[in-house]
């Protein structure tokens, strides 16, 4: 057993855990935040993506103990305190970027990270390449691409439509 | 059209919980005191189990029990079943081997369930599994579909030559005659590759036993919780139905693979009584690859006969279908009644004969996966048609149009009676949307860049809205395929719809509510859709085969009719008029020729307070139920056109354009329907280019993770151009045909037709990986050089 302390969605938490506990287990089982999902066992699907100190990380491949002192944000932590959705959440709903919803938390967390790294004016090619680490079996990605584009624009407050890969 | 009624792209009601991380999937549910199950799985494809020694494991920390097939037998728990009886050509029944939830004496595929270890934590259960000693007597594996019947090794003693059945459909004599008279015959050998369905949410289950009530609850990742309860009760013998509740909460995709009743959920619910604690199991991805039912896996020889006018006169098909090591719940129906009746495609083919051999192998069970039988049929028909057009030198679009069925209803030689369609309309619209005329130019332009550009068609048809109960009963189904609905109007006019359909991505909470808005004139927020819980919803049949719109919503529609009829009776009392003078429109009851009206909500209140009528003459309350049994299958159809560019030096194929024009009949929510088409196309492109389950000769699963099984990712796919044509379905009250599987059915032949067009060689097997495509391109180049 070991003790770990970190900030999860703005709240300071401390727990005694088995040292092999993965961050995703810590989030789901210890913090009871079940919006972060597990879709694979080889770090491929991205259903488990959270932000650690502002960067997207696959929480299935991170030990909870590695996050000592870190600032962890999950899908439950991105809307405003009054419940106003993050622009990327809103974009996924508006553009039908989800069906079963299982990949969605990871997709949204990755999408926000893409915008943080690549800016608000993304083309289709960039969005598709950057989503390489997130698998969705339902949507065929068509509407996810549109949602990420719209969310990126909304995050900047602009509204120019994305350039298509074919253009 | 109202902003929330039929035909409106209403944003989904269910989305808020999913985008905020508040969805409740089975693995998100935890019960106080729960223990965890870990399944010890066979490392061998085929072996006898001589002995299982669990003594060391039982002594390990936290371990509560190690249970095996002997414990199941001692408790008289029955085996898993196959619910569709197929008869051999000679009339004898199919040969179904036993399918225990935990192996009894023998394992038959890698991943087969040897024992379950139950412990306080999952880590303890997994650690203990390594201490269970199993003495195996390893036997030879049977892996290959084409040669399974010739193997000396028999998977089930009841099935000599590994033959599950030898079945046929159609008219052999007419077909032989058509081939004798044919001017031109096209022959092909076709493999439909084996796939892993891979919903992103792995399967999961929690079983719990309540001693006080002597009652079980099972939370499970199911597309049809009522059927699960029926099977667990009536066949497996866990508990009578009134003592077993099955709940399928949010389910993260299914694509068929969550229809079936599996070993793990059976064991969890049974074991919960044995260990006296809730028992939870959650599949990891490797287990999903090993033990979720796979899809497809056909080896086919097919021939098409064509006369001097370019008309198709006959089709002859022999298919060997791999059903794996055990017969999964609906497996037997997939290569038979979901396959051969679709072999007429969109074409007027007077004579068809299909023969199917289903075989056992030492691989995971194979059952329905998105499309189930229909993608396999469409692939055969659309590859033959394309190759026929090429060999005859006729434009492939034109060759199809020459052979389209144009008069409805149309009786095919293989059971189906197509009720309505306009195949030419879809083709014309697709040709325009894809700019078919401009293809030659695009091809030349690509050539300049050193790329081979190809175009491919698929004119698919599917049979959905399964299905008329008496009809499927006569074909061997063990259940009826109707659907149920209940409409509960509350005293203040809000509405609860209880449906036997189950939503696992389809958006029923929105589309079903749209129907209610349209019919009752109540706002969308006032409608709740309740599903997936046998304690709340009366018996229902669940969601698969694109049936929830055509069958599930038809049941709701029927119940809504009854609610309106009852409302009119109440309104007649309140408005002091004769019932036959009451109209109902836009949420208001009114008296013909007067300005007297009663809002729907006010009518509901009146129905419940029952002050204005005598409760003996008219029952209080406003709640109606309905069971809807379809009168026919529905026949969605359409045209997909794929355009690709191949790099002849590397074999890398890029899908550059995709055009789909589908006829789904009446569409409730175009946004959701288009989303279903996108997802289906992605899975179809996956099958054609990327995905394939591979077992080695020893029966080891080589593709057991996302490192080895290539799932379509965002950068593998293009954006899609999706259009629609509409001929209303005459066979149900809403005119709906269904849309869930179309993309997965249409896409594979369109893509392979495009790739073979690009490289100029027909020998491109699925998945058309760069290696496969490169080889075909090289063969074509060699042939050209030789000529
Ligand atoms: S669960 Fe983390 S990448 Fe799949
Ligand atoms: S919405 Fe189902 S996996 Fe993406």
């Amino acid at each position: 057993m070991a003790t770990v302390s970190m900030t999860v969605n703005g709240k300071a938490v401390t727990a005694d855990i088995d040292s092999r506990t993965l961050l995703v287990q810590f989030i789901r089982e210890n913090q009871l935040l079940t919006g972060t999902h597990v879709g694979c066992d080889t770090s491929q699907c991205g259903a488990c993506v959270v932000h650690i100190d502002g960067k997207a990380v696959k929480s299935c491949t991170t030990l909870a103990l590695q996050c000592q002192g870190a600032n962890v944000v999950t899908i439950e932590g991105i809307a405003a305190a009054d419940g106003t959705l993050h622009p990327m959440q809103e974009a996924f709903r508006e553009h039908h970027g989800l069906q079963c919803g299982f990949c969605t938390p990871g997709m949204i967390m990755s999408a926000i990270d893409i915008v943080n790294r690549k800016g608000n004016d993304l083309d289709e090619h960039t969005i598709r390449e950057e989503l390489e680490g997130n698998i969705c079996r339902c949507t065929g990605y068509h509407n996810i691409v549109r949602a990420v584009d719209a969310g990126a624009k909304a995050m900047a407050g602009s509204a120019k439509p994305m350039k298509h890969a074919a253009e | 059209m109202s902003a929330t009624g039929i035909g409106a792209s209403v944003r989904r009601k269910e989305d808020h919980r999913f985008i905020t991380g508040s969805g409740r999937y089975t693995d998100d549910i935890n019960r106080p005191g729960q223990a965890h199950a870990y399944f010890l799985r066979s490392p061998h494809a085929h072996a006898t189990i001589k002995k299982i020694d669990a003594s060391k494991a039982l002594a390990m920390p936290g371990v509560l029990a190690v249970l095996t097939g002997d414990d199941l037998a001692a408790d008289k728990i029955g085996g898993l079943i196959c619910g569709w009886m197929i008869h051999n050509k000679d009339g004898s029944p199919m040969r179904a081997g036993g399918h225990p939830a935990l192996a009894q004496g023998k394992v038959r595929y890698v991943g087969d369930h040897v024992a379950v270890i139950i412990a306080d934590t999952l880590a303890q259960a997994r650690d203990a599994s390594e201490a269970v000693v199993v003495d195996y007597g390893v036997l030879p594996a049977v892996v290959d579909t084409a040669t399974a019947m010739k193997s000396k090794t028999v998977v089930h003693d009841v099935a000599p030559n590994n033959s599950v059945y030898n079945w046929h459909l159609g008219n052999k004599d007419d077909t032989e005659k058509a081939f004798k008279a044919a001017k031109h015959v096209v022959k092909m050998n076709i493999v439909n590759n084996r796939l892993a369905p891979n919903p992103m949410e792995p399967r999961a289950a929690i079983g719990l036993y309540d001693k006080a009530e002597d009652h079980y609850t099972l939370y499970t990742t199911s597309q049809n919780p009522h059927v699960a309860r029926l099977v667990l009760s009536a066949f497996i013998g866990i508990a009578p139905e009134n003592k077993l509740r099955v709940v399928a909460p949010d389910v993260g995709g299914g694509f068929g693979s969550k229809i079936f009743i599996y070993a793990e959920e059976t064991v969890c619910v049974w074991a919960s009584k044995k260990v006296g604690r809730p028992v939870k199991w959650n599949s990891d991805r490797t287990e999903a690859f090993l033990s979720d039912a796979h899809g497809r896996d056909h080896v086919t020889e097919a021939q098409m006969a064509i006369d001097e006018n370019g008309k198709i006169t006959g089709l002859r098909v022999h298919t060997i279908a791999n059903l794996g090591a055990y017969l999964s719940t609906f497996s037997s129906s997939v290569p038979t009644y979901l396959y051969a009746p679709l072999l007429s495609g969109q074409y007027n083919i007077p004579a068809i004969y299909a023969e199917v051999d289903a075989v056992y192998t030492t691989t995971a069970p194979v059952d329905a996966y998105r499309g189930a039988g229909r993608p396999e049929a469409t692939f055969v028909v659309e590859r033959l048609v394309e190759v026929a057009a090429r060999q005859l030198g006729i434009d492939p679009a034109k060759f199809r149009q020459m052979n389209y069925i144009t008069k409805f209803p149309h009786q095919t030689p293989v059971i189906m009676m197509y009720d309505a369609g306009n195949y030419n309309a879809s083709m014309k619209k697709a040709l325009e949307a894809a700019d078919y005329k401009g293809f030659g130019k695009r091809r030349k332009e690509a050539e300049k860049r050193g790329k081979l550009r190809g175009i491919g068609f698929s004119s698919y048809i599917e049979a959905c809205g399964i299905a008329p109960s008496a009809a499927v009963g006569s074909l061997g189904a063990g259940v009826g395929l109707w659907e149920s609905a209940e409409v509960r109007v509350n005293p203040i006019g809000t509405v609860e719809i209880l449906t036997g359909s189950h939503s696992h991505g389809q958006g029923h909470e929105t589309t079903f509510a749209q129907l209610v808005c349209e019919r009752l004139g109540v706002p969308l927020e006032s409608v709740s859709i309740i599903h997936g819980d046998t304690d709340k919803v009366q018996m229902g049949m669940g969601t698969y085969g694109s049936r929830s719109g055509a069958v599930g919503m038809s049941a709701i529609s029927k119940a809504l009719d009854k609610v309106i009829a009852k409302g009119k009776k109440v309104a007649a009392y309140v408005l002091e008029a004769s019932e036959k003078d009451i109209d109902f429109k836009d949420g208001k009851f009114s008296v013909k020729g007067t300005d007297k009206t009663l809002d729907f909500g006010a009518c509901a209140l009146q129905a419940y307070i029952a002050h204005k009528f005598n409760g003996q003459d008219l029952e209080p309350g406003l709640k109606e139920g309905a069971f809807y049994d379809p009168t026919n299958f529905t026949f969605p159809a359409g045209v997909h056109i794929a355009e690709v560019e191949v790099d002849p030096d590397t074999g890398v194929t890029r899908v550059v354009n995709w055009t789909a024009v589908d006829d789904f009949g009446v569409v409730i929510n175009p946004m959701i329907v288009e989303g279903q088409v996108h997802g289906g196309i992605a899975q179809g492109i996956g099958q054609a280019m990327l995905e394939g389950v591979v077992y080695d000769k020893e029966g080891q699963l080589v593709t057991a993770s996302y490192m080895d099984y290539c799932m379509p990712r965002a950068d593998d796919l293009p954006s899609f151009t999706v259009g629609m044509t509409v001929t209303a379905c005459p066979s149900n009250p809403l005119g709906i045909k269904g849309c869930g599987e179309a993309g997965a059915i249409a896409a594979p032949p369109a893509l392979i037709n495009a790739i073979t067009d690009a490289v100029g060689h027909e020998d491109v097997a699925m998945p058309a990986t760069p290696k496969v495509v490169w080889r075909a391109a090289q063969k074509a180049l060699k042939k050209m050089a030789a000529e």
Side-chain angles (χ1 to χ4, degrees):
Chain A
M1 292 303 254
T3 303
V4 68
S5 302
M6 65 183 91
T7 308
V8 179
N9 297 335
K11 208 175 92 196
V13 299
T14 298
D16 289 329
I17 54 169
D18 186 345
S19 43
R20 61 180 161 176
T21 304
L22 297 166
L23 178 60
V24 69
Q25 292 170 323
F26 181 76
I27 292 168
R28 288 180 56 84
E29 291 159 27
N30 199 293
Q31 298 303 309
L32 302 177
L33 294 167
T34 54
T36 303
H37 296 152
V38 179
C40 73
D41 38 23
T42 49
S43 202
Q44 294 279 313
C45 77
C48 61
V49 171
V50 299
H51 293 175
I52 301 177
D53 296 330
K55 289 205 178 75
V57 173
K58 288 181 169 170
S59 64
C60 71
T61 336
T62 308
L63 289 168
L65 285 181
Q66 288 174 277
C67 301
Q68 173 63 34
N71 182 19
V72 176
V73 177
T74 71
I75 187 71
E76 290 92 342
I78 58 169
D82 68 354
T84 307
L85 295 176
H86 187 283
M88 194 58 82
Q89 290 175 305
E90 196 57 66
F92 267 71
R93 170 160 68 186
E94 182 56 31
H95 294 272
H96 189 33
L98 62 149
Q99 291 181 21
C100 78
F102 195 80
C103 73
T104 312
M107 283 284 178
I108 291 175
M109 298 311 278
S110 289
I112 295 170
D113 182 67
I114 294 170
V115 178
N116 289 343
R117 287 183 293 107
K118 298 270 165 181
N120 304 79
D121 205 6
L122 302 166
D123 58 27
E124 175 168 357
H125 183 73
T126 305
I127 297 174
R128 287 186 180 274
E129 293 240 298
E130 290 291 326
L131 285 176
E132 154 75 18
N134 289 75
I135 303 178
C136 173
R137 192 55 151 171
C138 298
T139 63
Y141 305 99
H142 181 105
N143 285 336
I144 290 179
V145 172
R146 268 131 205 90
V148 174
D149 172 55
K153 302 252 162 35
M155 281 169 72
S158 94
K160 266 190 288 161
M162 140 189 86
K163 286 193 241 64
H164 281 272
E167 285 165 20
Chain B
M1 181 178 87
S2 81
T4 54
I6 292 176
S9 285
V10 178
R11 298 302 181 262
R12 300 200 321 170
K13 289 175 61 138
E14 45 272 84
D15 283 357
H16 189 269
R17 67 175 184 275
F18 296 131
I19 57 181
T20 54
S22 333
R24 195 188 292 129
Y25 302 90
T26 301
D27 189 35
D28 300 339
I29 297 170
N30 293 294
R31 303 306 305 224
Q34 78 193 8
H36 296 263
Y38 184 80
F39 285 85
L40 178 64
R41 295 174 185 277
S42 171
H44 304 292
H46 197 192
T48 54
I49 300 176
K50 296 185 198 155
K51 197 173 164 225
I52 301 175
D53 180 2
S55 52
K56 275 217 189 81
L58 281 165
M60 286 174 72
V63 175
L64 303 170
V66 178
L67 303 171
T68 67
D70 288 348
D71 299 296
L72 277 174
D75 283 3
K76 299 201 168 50
I77 299 297
L80 307 179
I81 60 151
C82 178
W84 200 303
M85 171 53 77
I86 298 297
H87 289 90
N88 289 293
K89 266 195 316 205
D90 65 11
S92 61
M94 67 184 185
R95 294 167 281 269
H99 187 182
L102 296 171
Q104 290 170 345
K106 205 175 177 197
V107 284
R108 292 183 174 87
Y109 66 102
V110 171
D112 203 353
H113 315 71
V114 176
V116 63
I117 297 93
I118 300 169
D120 287 337
T121 71
L122 179 59
Q124 289 169 334
R126 191 181 291 145
D127 289 347
S129 76
E130 285 170 24
V132 178
V133 183
V134 186
D135 188 1
Y136 292 104
V138 178
L139 299 167
V142 187
V143 177
D144 182 45
T145 307
T147 57
M149 284 187 295
K150 294 183 191 125
S151 171
K152 286 200 191 78
T153 306
V154 169
V155 183
H156 288 275
D157 293 341
V158 297
N161 307 319
N162 295 316
S163 166
V164 185
Y165 53 73
N166 167 248
W167 172 92
H168 68 161
L169 185 71
N171 190 323
K172 195 173 182 181
D173 296 341
D174 287 357
T175 308
E176 296 305 326
K177 269 187 220 143
F179 275 88
K180 277 210 187 92
K183 180 83 198 303
H184 190 85
V185 173
V186 183
K187 291 186 186 165
M188 291 187 83
N189 293 328
I190 291 172
V191 174
N192 205 286
N193 47 331
R194 185 180 180 115
L195 303 174
N198 271 305
M200 290 316 296
E201 178 206 25
R203 288 190 295 118
I206 309 177
L208 50 131
Y209 176 70
D210 178 348
K211 202 170 171 188
E213 307 266 347
D214 186 29
H215 181 277
Y216 293 87
T217 302
L218 172 66
Y219 295 92
T220 182
T221 47
S222 172
Q223 300 177 216
N224 48 349
H226 288 90
V227 177
R229 181 172 75 159
L230 174 67
V231 171
L232 287 166
S233 283
F235 297 94
I236 299 176
I238 296 288
E241 280 169 292
N242 59 325
K243 292 289 180 190
L244 173 61
R245 173 187 180 199
V246 178
V247 184
D250 284 331
V251 172
F255 315 113
S257 69
K258 291 171 181 170
I259 299 171
F260 322 123
I261 319 313
Y262 287 93
E264 292 88 353
E265 60 231 36
T266 304
V267 167
C268 282
V269 69
W270 162 69
S272 67
K273 184 176 180 183
K274 287 198 97 64
V275 300
R277 285 171 54 181
V279 175
K280 181 170 185 174
W281 169 76
N282 194 48
S283 172
D284 62 31
R285 185 55 60 185
T286 300
E287 284 184 285
F289 275 108
L290 289 171
S291 68
D292 288 8
H294 293 167
R296 319 284 193 250
D297 204 342
H298 285 194
V299 174
T300 296
E301 289 173 15
Q303 293 111 32
M304 184 171 267
I306 298 153
D307 73 9
E308 59 283 359
N309 303 315
K311 292 267 189 205
I312 305 167
T313 53
L315 181 65
R316 195 162 49 193
V317 172
H318 177 245
T319 293
I320 305 175
N322 187 349
L323 295 184
Y326 302 98
L327 297 186
S328 171
T329 317
F330 289 109
S331 59
S332 55
S333 67
V334 177
T336 49
Y337 291 110
L338 295 177
Y339 170 65
L342 275 301
L343 285 170
S344 196
Q346 298 186 355
Y347 310 106
N348 197 346
I349 308 179
I352 300 175
Y353 179 70
E355 184 174 3
V356 178
D357 279 296
V359 297
Y360 281 120
T361 57
T362 53
T363 63
V366 179
D367 205 324
Y369 164 57
R370 201 170 194 170
R374 292 152 290 173
E376 296 90 317
T378 302
F379 194 75
V380 168
V381 174
E382 288 304 297
R383 282 293 289 137
L384 281 169
V385 165
E386 190 84 19
V387 171
R390 286 173 190 168
Q391 290 184 357
L392 294 169
I394 305 175
D395 176 88
K398 189 167 169 233
F399 182 68
R400 285 177 169 84
Q401 289 172 310
M402 282 162 58
N403 284 286
Y404 277 159
I405 293 161
T406 52
K407 288 201 189 74
F408 297 89
H410 174 89
Q411 177 65 56
T412 72
V414 276
I415 300 178
M416 291 301 179
M417 169 83 88
Y418 298 171
D419 52 4
N422 185 347
Y423 307 144
N424 252 317
S426 302
M427 177 58 98
K428 275 193 199 139
K429 197 166 173 179
L431 289 174
E432 224 157 87
D435 183 24
Y436 186 50
K437 283 208 189 94
F439 174 70
K441 236 198 217 154
R442 295 196 291 280
R443 173 175 259 177
K444 284 216 183 80
E445 186 278 324
E447 247 165 53
K448 281 190 207 135
R449 289 183 283 112
K451 296 280 166 29
L452 305 173
R453 194 158 175 131
I455 195 162
F457 292 83
S458 169
S459 274
Y460 74 95
I461 190 161
E462 52 172 329
C464 296
I466 46 174
S469 299
V472 293
S474 74
L475 304 179
V479 288
L481 288 168
W482 44 266
E483 194 49 88
S484 79
E486 208 182 304
V487 178
R488 285 189 199 157
V489 183
N490 298 315
I492 54 167
T494 57
V495 182
E496 282 146 353
I497 302 289
L498 295 94
T499 169
S501 299
H502 185 279
S503 187
H504 31 279
Q506 295 87 342
H508 294 169
E509 288 170 44
T510 307
T511 45
F512 289 12
Q514 284 179 254
L515 172 63
V516 179
C517 291
E518 175 91 19
R519 298 290 304 281
L520 299 183
V522 294
L524 205 63
E525 313 78 70
S526 299
V527 185
S528 295
I529 307 298
I530 295 161
H531 66 99
D533 185 340
T534 60
D535 259 15
K536 294 180 183 163
V537 182
Q538 64 191 348
M539 181 68 190
M541 296 309 298
T543 289
Y544 38 84
S546 306
R547 68 192 302 273
S548 300
V551 189
M553 285 180 90
S554 291
I556 297 172
S557 172
K558 219 174 139 187
L560 288 169
D561 288 342
K562 294 184 191 176
V563 164
I564 293 167
K566 171 86 181 277
K568 282 184 178 173
K569 286 195 167 72
V570 176
Y573 280 106
V574 178
L575 299 172
E576 296 172 336
S578 151
E579 188 192 329
K580 63 180 188 328
D581 290 334
I582 303 286
D583 281 335
F584 181 67
K585 209 176 156 232
D586 300 332
K588 272 192 176 52
F589 295 93
S590 61
V591 184
K592 279 191 187 94
T594 74
D595 58 0
K596 288 204 279 184
T597 62
L598 182 69
D599 277 352
F600 179 75
C603 178
L605 184 64
Q606 289 294 339
Y608 282 98
I609 61 175
H611 291 171
K612 300 275 177 164
F613 54 88
N614 179 338
Q616 271 68 49
D617 298 338
L618 180 65
E619 269 181 40
L622 195 51
K623 186 203 88 161
E624 300 288 347
F627 286 74
Y628 173 77
D629 199 6
T631 56
N632 190 0
F633 289 84
T634 65
F635 298 96
V639 173
H640 285 219
I641 303 177
E643 210 167 311
V644 300
E645 277 190 12
V646 172
D647 182 334
D649 297 330
T650 61
V652 170
T653 303
R654 211 163 63 87
V655 183
V656 286
N657 281 326
W658 198 282
T659 307
V661 175
D662 301 291
D663 178 358
F664 299 133
V666 173
V667 165
I668 306 290
N669 184 322
M671 176 192 81
I672 288 177
V673 167
E674 282 174 23
Q676 288 290 317
V677 174
H678 299 155
I681 295 171
Q683 289 182 7
I685 292 176
Q687 163 157 33
M689 270 178 56
L690 307 167
E691 299 178 41
V693 169
V694 179
Y695 284 94
D696 71 10
K697 281 203 184 72
E698 275 76 51
Q700 292 295 331
L701 182 61
V702 178
T703 50
S705 84
Y706 288 151
M707 313 282 275
D708 314 291
Y709 186 92
C710 187
M711 292 282 279
R713 315 234 178 179
D715 56 356
D716 295 315
L717 303 172
S719 286
F720 311 114
T721 304
V722 175
M724 282 174 209
T725 57
V726 178
T727 57
C729 174
S731 310
N732 63 62
L734 299 169
I736 295 175
K737 295 184 182 176
C739 65
E741 297 156 294
I745 293 170
L751 188 50
I752 297 299
N753 285 339
I755 295 174
T756 50
D757 181 48
V759 301
H761 202 280
E762 299 300 346
D763 192 10
V764 175
M766 298 192 290
T769 57
K771 187 164 113 187
V772 171
V773 175
W774 182 83
R775 278 199 183 139
Q778 297 308 311
K779 275 190 215 161
L781 286 174
K782 259 193 214 140
K783 208 171 139 212
M784 260 160 62
E787 274 164 10

